[in-house]
Amino acid sequence: MAHADRDQIAPDFAELFQAVPDEALADTANFAAASSRMNQIRKGRRMTLEEYPAGSAFPGVIGRTVEESTQAWPEPLRSKEGAPNVLFIVLDDTGFAQLGCYGSPIETPNLDRLAANGLSYNNMHTTALCSPTRSCILTGRNHHSNGLASITEASTGFPGANGYIPHENGFLPEMLLQHGYNTYAIGKWHLTPADQISAAGPYDRWPLGRGFERYYGFLGGETHQYYPELWHDNHRVEPPRTPDEGYHVTEDLTDQAILFIADSKQVAPDKPFFMYFCTGAMHAPHHVRAEWADRYRGAFDEGWGVYRENALTKQKELGIVPEDTELSRHDPDVQEWESLSADERRLYARMMEVYAGFLTHTDHHIGRLISFLETIGELDNTLIMVISDNGASSEGGPYGSVNENLFFNNVPESLEDNLAAIDALGGPTTFNHYAWGWTWAGNAPFRRWKRETYRGGISDPLIVHWPAGIAAKGEIRTQYAHAVDMVPTVLEALDLTPPTSIKGVTQSPLEGVSFAHTFDAATVSSKRTTQYFEMMGHRSLYHDGWRAVCPWPGPSFAEAGLPFGSPISKDRLTELDAESWELYHVEEDFAENHDVAAQHRDRLIAMIGTWYVEAGKFNVLPIDGRGVQRFAEPRPQIAVDRTSYTYYPGTQAVPGNAGAVVLNRPHSITALVDIPPGGAEGILVAHGGVDSGYAMYIKDGRLTWVHNYVGRDYFYVVSTEDVTEGSHELRFEFEVTGPPDVTNGKGAPGNGQLYFDGRLVGQAEVPVTTPLALGLTSGIHVGAAPGAPVCSEYEPPFAFTGTVHSVTIDVSGELIQDDEAEIRRILARQ
């Protein structure tokens, strides 16, 4: 073949062939034919190939030579032609009345646009709690069937509550992988047993272990929005920017979502994807920059009662609720707005302004994802479902908070302190949450909130958008549905059947039912006629337009007469079943305001019986209202209990629940270091962040230990001399000098001491320490602290400029803790 002939070779191979000698290209005809085939494939004119299903016998011919043989290829896994993408957008702690298209004054134009071009459902339900709902969304099975009666931190040794989602309950991405889909998870996960989210694994219940090909997000129930603890696939990563550089995790999650989709579409444009996109919003901390919150200056000055009234009016105008819908009663746990002082009203209104700005900011970034899909021509053929995991959250308490960790450590809020921080709300130095009144308002017209199975806790927005598959635009759907129904709906819309096996594991039947038949039929009946609810002993049942509710510990905290988390004894359960069930005809009484149990006793008794039948089917029993005992129960651990923990630099941060607990006990921290000529500075070890924590570091030549007492006080022990060049053992010891007063938010006082190579070089009295919770979202870091800083004396990550060989924390002292207070901290991380 002459050199001129080489120019006719397929461009992809031209460079290769230019390097081959002429004498090796004597068979011009063969190379010309090969080049022609290559160009045909490159231009999209696929040659006819014989393919056969993987695992079946080879249908070709194998002879002595290629000339005598016939090729055949294992059939690549391809999706159906024109198969739609699927996008689940899961908001956190967003109430029925908090989206613009559901009657809220908060601006959510991008979600409103999806509703205007799709469907809004007013009868969608969740489990009342985060992780249980998310398990339903992804598996199509009820939360007790998934072992998630509650969050994994509250797991117990019963099949319906052990926190281990069975592999026979396959996830939607595991199903769609079998049909040629790419699968991506973005954002909040919180579906892995709490003791398995460290680098020790196991990883089989992480996102990549349950069918997702790629993951970027945070594994726990909440994260600092400016300093998140991020995981990319199965390893820790640091945020790409700092808060000073404009970083916010919602923007970052959206960037990654767009990149995941673009990565695949630029290679295989026709390959569909399933994306599970879960913001950290609107869970606390309510973090957003002032320019977003300031859009709502004065918008909530009239208070939560007026918000509810206006929301109901708007909901009726939109058709989201029936015209005869009534607001639920004023909740006994919520203060009357008019009874508040001017300072209280100013503070609480600002808390809501920050929340509103946070939601509008979240909507903005969801809009970026939607716009990207539109730009690449994928929006119309993407089945989008937007849902919240439960009703609005009450974890801010009756007065709200500028630092949630005050509440979890029993430290009383101070109006004066909170007012002093009012301008910082939403910023990286706060960990803020609004007051109960806004929770109650955000669930209008319903009563109560997250963690309770009244409609305020379980009724959530659902928007469905799919122009290529749904002709209706901007319509309301009233059919009863539950989060467990989303998987079967997607499968029906995609014309797929649930797999009988995934990775060799025989699959359990789906427990949800499809509502795809409602897409283009406004008045068709729901296929779901019965659904049970149970959360922390709070029970209810929907059946054929009626709802029976058995609140625990009562219809409100004020009326209960018992604290949250009280056990339900056998005798007490008998009393509850005989006396405490309420009955509502929700088909006519949308907001369940009129208890008709006395008038329909026979119906109520039948529904109680039905609840027990459903409980038997789905592993709900035993009914467990416990708090302290339930959270404090021992559970299987990856590592055996020990009193000495050694950590190394450059490794992934250790989650607090897998690390050394130093609170209320004598302990020591020993760092083995090399100091170069001229000295070194930086973090040796840090645990926690702006909300509370401790750090040991070198700055200006001096070894320093600091304890951040819930962001309120900072206690330092500083060496009296510089750390010199060479190898050293740097040690901090904490000697407890008195008992903790956990009930009143005070951890054990003590004497802090610093040592160089066994020589005392500094000491100071520490009058109070954090009693229960160090750093709600920050684990243990060695050699650098990239998260929110424990104190203002350093800027993250403050990497150590010498060498840290290891840090050993010894906690052989007796541990003192208050399990009752610990439950509140864990429950809020949902």
Side-chain angles (χ1 to χ4, degrees):
M1 179 185 289
H3 283 288
D5 297 321
R6 301 175 192 235
D7 295 336
Q8 307 304 314
I9 303 248
D12 290 5
F13 292 84
E15 184 177 352
L16 172 65
F17 285 146
Q18 291 295 338
V20 179
D22 286 344
E23 56 269 24
L25 302 177
D27 192 343
T28 304
N30 285 344
F31 277 101
S35 175
S36 175
R37 288 201 302 273
M38 290 298 178
N39 276 319
Q40 284 182 319
I41 294 172
R42 186 172 182 273
K43 294 176 182 178
R45 298 192 295 271
R46 184 183 299 276
M47 301 291 291
T48 300
L49 300 175
E50 182 173 1
E51 297 177 347
Y52 61 96
S56 61
F58 176 69
V61 176
I62 300 177
R64 292 176 302 156
T65 66
V66 171
E67 184 179 29
E68 300 171 281
S69 306
T70 303
Q71 298 183 50
W73 296 84
E75 183 181 27
L77 182 61
R78 303 187 187 100
S79 62
K80 293 180 181 179
E81 185 176 353
N85 310 303
V86 180
L87 172 61
F88 285 178
I89 299 175
V90 183
L91 298 170
D92 208 322
D93 290 358
T94 303
F96 188 83
Q98 289 183 324
L99 302 182
C101 51
Y102 278 75
S104 173
I106 301 172
E107 296 175 6
T108 54
N110 294 291
L111 293 175
D112 295 354
R113 174 192 172 194
L114 295 180
N117 289 288
L119 304 173
S120 299
Y121 286 74
N122 74 357
N123 219 354
M124 168 55 76
H125 297 80
T126 58
T127 69
L129 203 61
C130 156
S131 303
T133 293
R134 291 163 190 261
S135 77
C136 297
I137 288 172
L138 285 173
T139 69
R141 283 87 168 184
N142 285 297
H143 59 300
H144 292 87
S145 298
N146 290 323
L148 281 171
S150 183
I151 55 177
T152 62
E153 293 88 343
S155 60
T156 60
F158 299 103
N162 61 26
Y164 292 82
I165 302 177
H167 287 285
E168 57 262 36
N169 291 2
F171 280 34
L172 181 58
E174 294 176 302
M175 303 175 197
L176 295 183
L177 278 177
Q178 300 183 18
H179 297 280
Y181 275 71
N182 281 133
T183 57
Y184 313 124
I186 294 284
K188 175 172 173 174
W189 182 243
H190 208 199
L191 292 172
T192 301
D195 65 306
Q196 296 183 12
I197 64 170
S198 74
Y203 293 91
D204 59 338
R205 285 182 169 84
W206 288 39
L208 269 61
R210 295 310 307 251
F212 288 106
E213 296 172 308
R214 304 184 70 181
Y215 172 65
Y216 186 85
F218 55 98
L219 293 173
E222 65 181 345
T223 196
H224 196 293
Q225 302 288 305
Y226 299 105
Y227 293 105
E229 292 205 319
L230 293 172
W231 298 81
H232 196 159
D233 296 338
N234 284 350
H235 64 279
R236 270 294 306 275
V237 295
E238 298 304 330
R241 293 181 291 153
T242 67
D244 288 343
E245 294 169 329
Y247 180 84
H248 191 285
V249 72
T250 304
E251 179 179 4
D252 189 13
L253 296 177
T254 307
D255 290 345
Q256 291 296 322
I258 291 171
L259 285 174
F260 281 8
I261 296 169
D263 280 346
S264 175
K265 290 295 184 181
Q266 67 185 357
V267 176
D270 296 331
K271 187 172 186 178
F273 66 83
F274 167 60
M275 176 170 282
Y276 177 65
F277 182 84
C278 304
T279 64
M282 297 300 297
H283 198 289
H286 298 161
H287 276 160
V288 73
R289 287 181 170 79
E291 58 264 29
W292 291 89
D294 288 348
R295 296 185 182 194
Y296 293 95
R297 282 284 186 189
F300 306 107
D301 287 355
E302 293 182 289
W304 35 66
V306 171
Y307 180 109
R308 297 182 80 233
E309 293 169 0
N310 291 344
L312 179 60
T313 298
K314 187 65 174 178
Q315 287 168 341
K316 290 180 178 180
E317 290 175 4
L318 294 170
I320 285 291
V321 303
E323 275 295 328
D324 60 355
T325 300
E326 305 166 307
L327 284 175
S328 62
R329 64 175 183 165
H330 187 102
D331 195 288
D333 291 328
V334 174
Q335 304 168 86
E336 295 279 359
W337 185 260
E338 294 74 18
S339 71
L340 301 174
S341 69
D343 281 343
E344 288 174 310
R345 291 196 296 269
R346 181 164 65 93
L347 175 64
Y348 299 155
R350 183 56 178 172
M351 288 177 171
M352 187 58 187
E353 291 168 7
V354 171
Y355 179 89
F358 190 23
L359 181 51
T360 298
H361 174 267
T362 302
D363 175 86
H364 167 77
H365 288 290
I366 290 173
R368 290 177 51 227
L369 177 57
I370 300 305
S371 295
F372 173 73
L373 293 176
E374 188 170 31
T375 298
I376 64 173
E378 295 288 341
L379 180 60
D380 283 359
N381 199 30
T382 298
L383 171 55
I384 300 175
M385 293 186 177
V386 183
I387 192 172
S388 173
D389 57 4
N390 44 242
S393 168
S394 63
E395 275 117 23
Y399 312 113
S401 180
V402 300
N403 179 3
E404 265 194 312
N405 221 6
L406 292 167
F407 177 70
F408 306 137
N409 283 288
N410 289 339
V411 180
E413 297 279 351
S414 161
L415 178 61
E416 291 72 25
D417 288 345
N418 289 352
L419 281 170
I422 191 170
D423 292 334
L425 289 175
T429 62
T430 63
F431 215 92
N432 50 297
H433 196 300
Y434 57 27
W436 276 348
W438 295 119
T439 310
W440 173 60
N443 291 323
F446 307 122
R447 68 167 68 186
R448 301 306 283 174
W449 41 58
K450 174 182 176 180
R451 293 208 308 263
E452 301 183 18
T453 69
Y454 283 118
R455 290 205 69 183
I458 62 172
S459 292
D460 290 282
L462 173 70
I463 300 168
V464 179
H465 182 274
W466 184 27
I470 301 174
K473 308 293 181 189
E475 296 184 7
I476 309 298
R477 292 291 181 266
T478 61
Q479 292 87 354
Y480 191 94
H482 187 276
V484 77
D485 300 328
M486 292 172 66
V487 166
T489 300
V490 168
L491 294 178
E492 181 178 346
L494 272 53
D495 193 24
L496 302 176
T497 57
T500 58
S501 177
I502 293 176
K503 298 179 182 177
V505 178
T506 300
Q507 293 296 287
S508 66
L510 294 181
E511 294 165 2
V513 295
S514 173
F515 54 86
H517 67 297
T518 69
F519 286 173
D520 284 313
T523 59
V524 68
S525 297
S526 172
K527 293 180 181 178
R528 174 166 295 287
T529 58
T530 304
Q531 178 63 42
Y532 83 92
F533 298 87
E534 189 277 335
M535 188 55 62
M536 306 293 287
H538 202 291
R539 296 175 287 158
S540 58
L541 178 86
Y542 170 83
H543 183 70
D544 283 342
W546 295 76
R547 277 207 0 112
V549 184
C550 187
W552 179 255
S556 69
F557 300 138
E559 298 165 300
L562 289 171
F564 175 79
S566 296
I568 302 176
S569 67
K570 181 175 71 171
D571 291 343
R572 185 70 179 106
L573 181 59
T574 300
E575 293 175 5
L576 288 171
D577 285 339
E579 302 171 2
S580 296
W581 283 88
E582 304 164 1
L583 182 65
Y584 302 95
H585 192 187
V586 289
E587 194 169 82
E588 298 178 356
D589 177 16
F590 186 75
E592 58 183 23
N593 286 315
H594 304 286
D595 181 5
V596 294
Q599 297 94 308
H600 297 275
R601 187 69 180 169
D602 290 347
R603 181 183 293 275
L604 178 62
I605 291 172
M607 290 185 70
I608 296 171
T610 300
W611 187 93
Y612 276 101
V613 169
E614 298 297 290
K617 285 182 188 176
F618 301 118
N619 290 330
V620 181
L621 301 176
I623 299 167
D624 193 351
R626 296 176 304 157
V628 174
Q629 301 96 321
R630 184 169 177 171
F631 280 80
E633 281 192 347
R635 299 176 181 86
Q637 299 295 313
I638 297 302
V640 297
D641 193 25
R642 61 194 192 277
T643 59
S644 181
Y645 298 74
T646 299
Y647 303 117
Y648 303 97
T651 56
Q652 297 176 6
V654 176
N657 65 353
V661 179
V662 301
L663 300 179
N664 303 320
R665 69 200 315 179
H667 62 273
S668 66
I669 303 172
T670 304
L672 301 180
V673 304
D674 288 337
I675 306 298
E681 69 172 12
I683 291 289
L684 301 176
V685 62
H687 180 188
V690 295
D691 51 335
S692 67
Y694 67 85
M696 184 173 166
Y697 59 88
I698 297 175
K699 183 179 180 184
D700 298 329
R702 302 299 173 95
L703 178 64
T704 301
W705 173 89
V706 60
H707 183 89
N708 171 350
Y709 173 63
V710 294
R712 183 165 288 182
D713 290 304
Y714 299 83
F715 304 106
Y716 294 86
V717 184
V718 183
S719 66
T720 57
E721 55 189 78
D722 289 352
V723 183
T724 59
E725 174 187 344
S727 298
H728 295 287
E729 178 187 275
L730 306 179
R731 182 178 177 90
F732 168 78
E733 291 186 358
F734 186 79
E735 177 188 3
V736 172
T737 58
D741 182 6
V742 176
T743 301
N744 292 304
K746 297 179 180 180
N751 181 34
Q753 301 174 331
L754 293 174
Y755 294 86
F756 291 173
D757 304 316
R759 183 169 55 88
L760 181 66
V761 294
Q763 62 181 322
E765 291 297 319
V766 181
V768 64
T769 56
T770 304
L772 289 166
L774 283 178
L776 293 176
T777 63
S778 298
I780 300 170
H781 298 261
V782 170
V790 171
C791 68
S792 61
E793 297 299 312
Y794 67 87
E795 289 292 328
F798 201 36
F800 189 61
T801 56
T803 300
V804 183
H805 295 288
S806 66
V807 172
T808 298
I809 302 177
D810 184 276
V811 291
S812 53
E814 182 181 357
L815 174 64
I816 307 168
Q817 68 180 25
D818 182 331
D819 290 331
E820 185 172 351
E822 176 74 356
I823 183 178
R824 293 195 293 273
R825 180 186 70 83
I826 295 173
L827 274 175
R829 300 191 67 186
Q830 303 160 36

